[in-house]
Amino acid sequence: MDLPILYLVIPCYNEAKVLPQTHPLFLNKIRNLIQAAKISPLSQIMYVDDGSKDKTWDLIEGFSMENHHTQGISQSRNRGHQNAIFAGMMEAREQADIVITIDCDGQDDINCIDQMVAAYQNGSDIVYGVRSNRKSDTWFKRSSAQLFYKLMAFLGADTIYNHADYRLLSKRVLNELSNYKEVNLYLRGLIPLIGFNYSVVEYERYERMEGESHYPLSKMLTLAFDGITSLSIKPIRLVTLMGAFATLLSLLLIIWVFYGYWTDNTVAGWASTYIVVCFMGGIQLLSIGVIGEYIGKIYLEVKARPKYIIAKRTQKEEI
Ligand code: UDP
Ligand code: MG
């Protein structure tokens, strides 16, 4: 069998501090794998500059001049991590037999790449990198992640536990992925839907080598909402159930009020009325909110705007 051409797709957003440290590690990995005859000499590192405002693009251009295993594309503006890796995967698809997406900050254990490639050789079209523990996370991130996985399982949208976006995809998975036209990207939920053989490789997630995380609470919540709305419509069904429950409760209350009237036991005071009004108001607002989330997503989907626009590419050298 021919050696597979591997593309390492690496999203970078304002990472000028960390890239000089991690780039040599990525490059060594590619070189070692080529030397060990595990991957083709045509393999590449493909950086995706996600509209950085610092010197990230200059660094990527520099790296690509220094050796022919590195290239880069630059998005026209910042579009977020999911769109950045999607752009990289779609751009790599033609040349690559396999793509591995990995963060540029050194958090994902680079040595896992060997195991991922071996798993591909053994017949897996998808290899998920799964964190063996969450030691490097804060208590808050750890518990909110646990809660999210439980919520997803409850909503019937199964995701791979403790897997983020460190994974290998084969060419045929990438080709299938390109047929998914949705704009609201939640790749870790979307890719399991594609099917094919998959396997899992456990890895330790380290601390970021330099710089700061781009995922504050607000972005984490947005990603969680995107995940839920792109994978499940159960929340809308829950709204219907809540509506049914509230209607039933109101019927019982009406019977209770009439019963009081007929038996001369009229309930005094406004408290009960007030509670019911608040309860109903709360349920209605919540329901409108949930339905609104989905309508918002439909609005974005029907416009079908492009998921990425490439503004610059590094000059390709002849190998
Ligand atoms: N990233 C990106 N676009 C963004 C935010 C992040 O391409 O808008 C990249 C970032 O450079 C890194 C990866 O996505 O390679 C993960 O981001 P980060 O390390 O900030 O997230 P965390 O690991 O803290 O969840
Ligand atoms: Mg990180």
Side-chain angles (χ1 to χ4, degrees):
M1 200 164 89
D2 282 348
L3 293 174
I5 301 178
L6 166 67
Y7 269 55
L8 266 191
V9 166
I10 311 179
C12 313
Y13 179 52
N14 292 341
E15 300 285 11
K17 270 194 196 157
V18 80
L19 273 179
Q21 284 188 48
T22 50
H23 174 66
L25 304 176
F26 293 128
L27 195 56
N28 272 346
K29 180 48 72 190
I30 289 279
R31 283 180 173 149
N32 289 344
L33 282 167
I34 293 173
Q35 260 169 19
K38 300 277 185 219
I39 57 172
S40 155
L42 298 174
S43 298
Q44 292 277 309
I45 296 172
M46 181 186 261
Y47 287 110
V48 183
D49 169 28
D50 190 18
S52 302
K53 308 213 165 42
D54 64 358
K55 298 261 178 240
T56 299
W57 180 246
D58 297 343
L59 283 170
I60 294 172
E61 276 197 314
F63 299 151
S64 76
M65 305 283 243
E66 281 162 20
N67 75 85
H68 57 258
H69 288 304
T70 309
Q71 56 175 286
I73 52 177
S74 178
Q75 298 228 72
S76 58
R77 66 173 172 85
N78 177 244
R79 301 290 294 256
H81 178 220
Q82 297 290 297
N83 290 60
I85 49 182
F86 185 80
M89 291 192 293
M90 289 304 113
E91 287 299 305
R93 186 160 66 98
E94 257 178 48
Q95 278 79 34
D97 295 312
I98 42 177
V99 159
I100 294 179
T101 45
I102 183 168
D103 289 355
C104 72
D105 53 10
Q107 285 198 269
D108 300 330
D109 182 5
I110 292 174
N111 292 319
C112 253
I113 293 174
D114 300 61
Q115 284 160 269
M116 287 184 168
V117 173
Y120 165 77
Q121 297 287 24
N122 287 332
S124 297
D125 277 288
I126 306 175
V127 188
Y128 296 108
V130 165
R131 299 172 65 163
S132 51
N133 61 59
R134 285 190 161 262
K135 273 191 280 186
S136 62
D137 276 356
T138 58
W139 174 85
F140 179 74
K141 202 159 182 174
R142 219 172 18 237
S143 14
S144 54
Q146 296 280 0
L147 194 71
F148 180 65
Y149 285 114
K150 290 213 171 100
L151 181 67
M152 290 303 260
F154 170 71
L155 293 175
D158 262 338
T159 40
I160 308 279
Y161 192 66
N162 271 349
H163 160 69
D165 288 293
Y166 185 20
R167 69 175 89 79
L168 174 148
L169 300 180
S170 71
K171 196 186 205 76
R172 65 173 174 164
V173 175
L174 292 168
N175 287 342
E176 293 304 331
L177 183 63
S178 71
N179 292 327
Y180 283 69
K181 300 295 175 210
E182 55 202 84
V183 178
N184 174 31
L185 272 185
Y186 183 69
L187 291 167
R188 58 192 87 164
L190 197 57
I191 287 166
L193 295 180
I194 298 176
F196 295 120
N197 279 345
Y198 76 89
S199 54
V200 161
V201 164
E202 284 207 356
Y203 74 99
E204 180 143 0
R205 193 158 153 101
Y206 305 118
E207 301 275 338
R208 178 180 250 284
M209 283 186 182
E210 272 298 335
E212 268 157 37
S213 166
H214 302 93
Y215 271 89
L217 183 62
S218 58
K219 269 200 189 174
M220 267 164 55
L221 282 176
T222 308
L223 186 67
F225 271 120
D226 282 353
I228 292 169
T229 50
S230 86
L231 292 175
S232 169
I233 55 158
K234 217 166 168 183
I236 298 189
R237 213 159 289 154
L238 287 178
V239 164
T240 316
L241 283 178
M242 255 180 357
F245 170 73
T247 313
L248 193 73
L249 198 72
S250 324
L251 279 175
L252 290 176
L253 279 170
I254 291 169
I255 294 169
W256 180 50
V257 168
F258 271 104
Y259 178 76
Y261 177 72
W262 283 323
T263 53
D264 265 349
N265 263 332
T266 321
V267 188
W270 290 94
S272 51
T273 323
Y274 184 70
I275 289 169
V276 173
V277 169
C278 284
F279 177 67
M280 292 305 295
I283 286 194
Q284 279 168 6
L285 280 181
L286 184 73
S287 312
I288 293 171
V290 172
I291 297 166
E293 274 294 324
Y294 284 91
I295 295 178
K297 289 284 148 52
I298 298 169
Y299 171 68
L300 293 175
E301 293 297 337
V302 289
K303 283 192 292 192
R305 288 180 178 158
K307 288 195 272 290
Y308 64 94
I309 297 172
I310 293 172
K312 285 178 274 188
R313 289 168 197 275
T314 51
Q315 295 305 314
K316 282 198 186 107
E317 261 183 66
E318 288 304 315
I319 301 172

